[in-house]
Structures are given as C-alpha cells and as structure tokens.
C-alpha cells in the first residue's frame, strides 16, 4: 500500500509538473505573425496628379454663312474702306435707328484713318479683320494669305487694342482650306461669310440695294454691305425700316453668333 501510494504521488507530481511546464511554454511563446500588432506607421502611397493636355489650336477656322434661323435677328456687316465721312454718316444712321452693325475693316484703311476704329467701337459695334490690302485671297499663296490676315490683325491691335473676333476673306464669298488655315494662324476661329449680298459694291440704284437686302433677309441672315459707297447710305433708311417691318432686329455678329 505504501508503495502504491508513493507511486501514485510520484505520477501525480510528474503530471502536475508537466502541465506546469506546458502552461509556461505557451505563455512565453511568441504569437503568430498574423496576430502581431505593428507599431510602424502605415505606408503612404503618393501619386502625382495627372496634367491635362494643353488644348491644340485648330488648324483651320470654320466658315459661317449665317446665324441661327430660330431668332428674329440679322447682322448688317460693312466692309470697312473708302471715305471715312461716308462711314461716319452711315454709323450715325444705324445708331439713330437703335440698331447695331459690324465693320470688317481693311488694314490700309485703318492705317490711313485710325480714328475710325474708335468711332466704330464707341458706337457699340463690332470691329473685325478684312485683310490688309483687300487682295483676291483665292489667288494668293499660303504665305501671302497668312500675311494679309496677320498684318491687318496687327493694325487692329494697334488702333483698337484688340484684333477682334471676326475675320472675313477679301475677294470671295466662300473660303478655301488655305484661307481658313491663314485665319486660324492669326487666332481667328471663324471666317464670316454671308447669305445676303446687298449688291452695293456694284453702285446700282438705291432701290436695287434695298430690294436685294429685304428680299433675302430672314432670321439669322448675315448681310454684306460696304461703308465706302454713297448708294449704301442712300439705301440704308429703307433697309432699316424694311427690316423692322419684317420683325428682324439688326445686331452685331457677336450678338447673332454667340
């Protein structure tokens, strides 16, 4: 009995020690990697903001022959050349009627009469580019066409502090890719054509000019007329009253097209 009691006591003592050793080992063992808490700051990922590509200027301007057909407005556009006294009287008539116009000036005209740039702008009208020398642009080489647009733009910047938004080719109603490229090279987005020819450049009777304008004008029309022809001055009062009768308001190109 004593022997059995001693053996049992030894086994129990051994078991207790083994259990104690096992428990101690588990307490000092390092936790698995997945259970560890990192004390290092989280990694920060930095990305450079994407830079927007710079807009590429168009290689050709667009040709505009008329404005929106849904609004009762027209643009009376005048080629800026000739006797400045005629031009001043014509602008006086337009303003007296409460209307606005657009003058597309020849560069040599503004060089000779720089005060006309101020007169046009003070009346609230548009002032634009009609080439430097009024050459037939369809017959010009590319370099010459660019020079015609560029040199007039430079005169406008000098006399009007801005080259204006609008360009009209000289010697042609419709433009060509070469002309449109020349306009774009000087920063013009549009070549302004027209859908109504007033025929005043032919110096016909005033009634012919009145009829040409009023027969052709409709909402959105761009009318081509000239400052330097006496017949235009004679026809203008009837043109303005006729447009009112058709419920068409003469506005600037900027008002019509923007």
């Amino acid at each position: 009995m004593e022997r059995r009691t001693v053996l049992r006591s030894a086994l129990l003592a051994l078991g207790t020690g083994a259990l104690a050793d096992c428990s101690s080992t588990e307490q000092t063992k390092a936790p698995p990697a997945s259970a560890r808490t990192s004390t290092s700051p989280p990694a920060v990922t930095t990305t450079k903001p994407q830079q927007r590509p710079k807009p590429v200027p168009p290689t050709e301007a667009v040709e505009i022959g008329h404005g929106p057909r849904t609004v009762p407005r027209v643009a009376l556009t005048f080629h800026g050349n000739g006797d400045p006294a005629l031009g001043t009287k014509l602008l006086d008539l337009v303003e007296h009627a409460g209307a606005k116009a657009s003058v597309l000036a020849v560069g040599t005209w503004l060089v000779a009469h720089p005060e006309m740039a101020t007169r046009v702008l003070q009346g609230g009208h548009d002032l634009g580019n009609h080439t430097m020398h009024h050459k037939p642009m369809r017959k010009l080489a590319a370099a010459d066409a660019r020079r015609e647009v560029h040199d007039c733009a430079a005169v406008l910047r000098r006399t009007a502090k801005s080259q204006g938004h609008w360009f009209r080719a000289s010697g042609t109603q419709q433009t060509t890719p070469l002309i449109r490229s020349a306009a774009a090279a000087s920063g013009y987005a549009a070549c302004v054509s027209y859908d109504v020819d007033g025929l005043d450049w032919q110096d016909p009777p005033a009634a012919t000019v009145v009829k040409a304008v009023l027969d052709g004008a409709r909402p959105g029309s761009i009318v081509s007329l000239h400052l330097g022809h006496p017949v235009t001055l004679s026809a203008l009062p009837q043109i303005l009253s006729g447009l009112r009768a058709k419920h068409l308001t003469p506005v600037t190109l900027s008002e019509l097209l923007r």
Side-chain angles (χ1 to χ4, degrees):
M1 288 294 292
E2 293 178 357
R3 184 177 179 184
R4 288 181 181 176
T5 302
V6 173
L7 181 59
R8 180 184 294 178
S9 298
L11 288 173
L12 286 172
L14 180 60
T16 303
L19 288 172
D21 289 343
C22 180
S23 176
S24 175
T25 303
E26 289 297 324
Q27 289 177 359
T28 57
K29 187 185 294 184
S34 59
R36 295 175 189 169
T37 301
S38 174
T39 58
S40 301
V44 178
T45 303
T46 58
T47 57
K48 294 182 179 180
Q50 293 184 351
Q51 294 183 348
R52 295 182 180 179
K54 294 182 180 180
V56 179
T59 57
E60 281 190 19
V62 297
E63 180 176 300
I64 300 176
H66 61 80
R69 296 300 192 188
T70 55
V71 293
R73 295 177 174 181
V74 297
L76 299 179
T77 64
F78 295 90
H79 298 223
N81 208 356
D83 185 352
L86 282 177
T88 299
K89 290 179 181 178
L90 187 146
L91 293 174
D92 288 343
L93 278 176
V94 171
E95 292 159 16
H96 183 72
K100 298 296 180 185
S102 299
V103 176
L104 300 159
V106 177
T108 53
W109 182 65
L110 287 180
V111 170
H113 308 287
E115 73 281 0
M116 290 304 297
T118 302
R119 173 64 187 87
V120 171
L121 295 175
Q122 283 182 342
H125 311 292
D126 275 352
L127 182 63
N129 184 326
H130 193 37
T131 75
M132 189 65 195
H133 299 95
H134 204 270
K135 295 179 178 180
M137 289 200 76
R138 281 181 172 269
K139 298 181 179 180
L140 299 182
D144 293 332
R146 287 193 174 207
R147 191 175 301 111
E148 280 294 302
V149 184
H150 173 273
D151 288 357
C152 185
V155 173
L156 283 164
R157 288 193 296 270
R158 188 166 67 248
T159 58
K161 309 307 179 188
S162 168
Q163 68 180 33
H165 293 293
W166 311 109
F167 166 76
R168 173 171 287 166
S170 54
T172 181
Q173 181 176 359
Q174 275 77 42
T175 59
T176 63
L178 185 150
I179 295 172
R180 293 191 293 272
S181 294
S186 286
Y188 292 101
C191 297
V192 180
S193 183
Y194 50 90
D195 62 323
V196 179
D197 185 350
L199 302 177
D200 56 342
W201 56 276
Q202 298 178 0
D203 293 316
T208 301
V209 178
V210 173
K211 184 175 182 353
V213 173
L214 296 183
D215 284 356
R218 58 190 178 113
S221 283
I222 298 176
V223 182
S224 173
L225 293 164
H226 297 73
L227 289 186
H229 293 255
V231 66
T232 313
L233 189 62
S234 300
L236 190 60
Q238 294 180 68
I239 289 173
L240 292 170
S241 62
L243 290 174
R244 282 197 301 271
K246 296 182 72 169
H247 305 289
L248 296 173
T249 302
V251 297
T252 64
L253 284 169
S254 295
E255 291 176 282
L256 182 68
L257 301 177
R258 291 188 164 186

